[in-house]
Amino acid sequence: MKTTPPAARFLGFAGLMPQLACVAAAWFGPPKWRWSALAIGWAYAALILSFLGGIWWGLAAGAPDEGRRAPQWLWVAAITPSLLALMTFLPWVFGVAWPGPSLYLLGGAIVLSILVDARLVTVRPGWWMALRIPLSLALGAATIFLGLAA
């Protein structure tokens, strides 16, 4: 973590605050806050998961043409988070159980995103995993915990 740029470290951990606020509101706030906290927490998790896919796309697109070329699977991995986030919205649209199952899926996907990051050794900075592991574990766990309030 010592080699992580200070701005990335500060902003990365600050990015946990919206989800933690939703967890606090859903579990400890007045009952009238619960639905809003669940919906905002779902939206935030879906946005961050899509953001991760955008990062992967950017890493693939920014890789040099020679030497450290991005692996071909990364292009597919990069679009998957946005499609998964959209998929977790569909139960609400069609009146099926929401947001609990969707929050569980998003939380699990955020935790599992670490596996993609771990395979990016040819295109990611050396400090990347020191930041990504705690952020993904914390946000994924908070999202799953939020799902338990549904």
Side-chain angles (χ1 to χ4, degrees):
M1 190 69 84
K2 291 179 183 176
T3 61
T4 303
R9 184 174 48 246
F10 174 77
L11 294 170
F13 283 100
L16 295 173
M17 294 304 125
Q19 198 70 335
L20 295 176
C22 288
V23 168
W27 280 93
F28 307 111
K32 66 182 179 179
W33 289 5
R34 189 173 147 277
W35 177 252
S36 295
L38 291 169
I40 293 167
W42 167 83
Y44 191 68
L47 287 170
I48 294 299
L49 186 61
S50 293
F51 175 75
L52 292 174
I55 290 172
W56 298 336
W57 186 275
L59 287 171
D65 290 334
E66 297 177 20
R68 293 173 53 107
R69 175 172 266 155
Q72 293 300 304
W73 62 264
L74 183 53
W75 297 101
V76 175
I79 64 163
T80 302
S82 297
L83 296 174
L84 184 62
L86 176 64
M87 187 180 77
T88 67
F89 180 63
L90 295 178
W92 185 30
V93 172
F94 294 114
V96 182
W98 189 88
S102 293
L103 287 165
Y104 299 142
L105 184 60
L106 287 171
I110 290 168
V111 169
L112 290 175
S113 72
I114 296 168
L115 299 175
V116 173
D117 286 310
R119 292 193 61 200
L120 298 179
V121 293
T122 62
V123 293
R124 66 172 160 80
W127 52 265
W128 190 253
M129 293 307 289
L131 185 63
R132 289 287 297 120
I133 289 172
L135 291 179
S136 291
L137 291 176
L139 184 62
T143 302
I144 291 167
F145 193 61
L146 185 61
L148 293 172

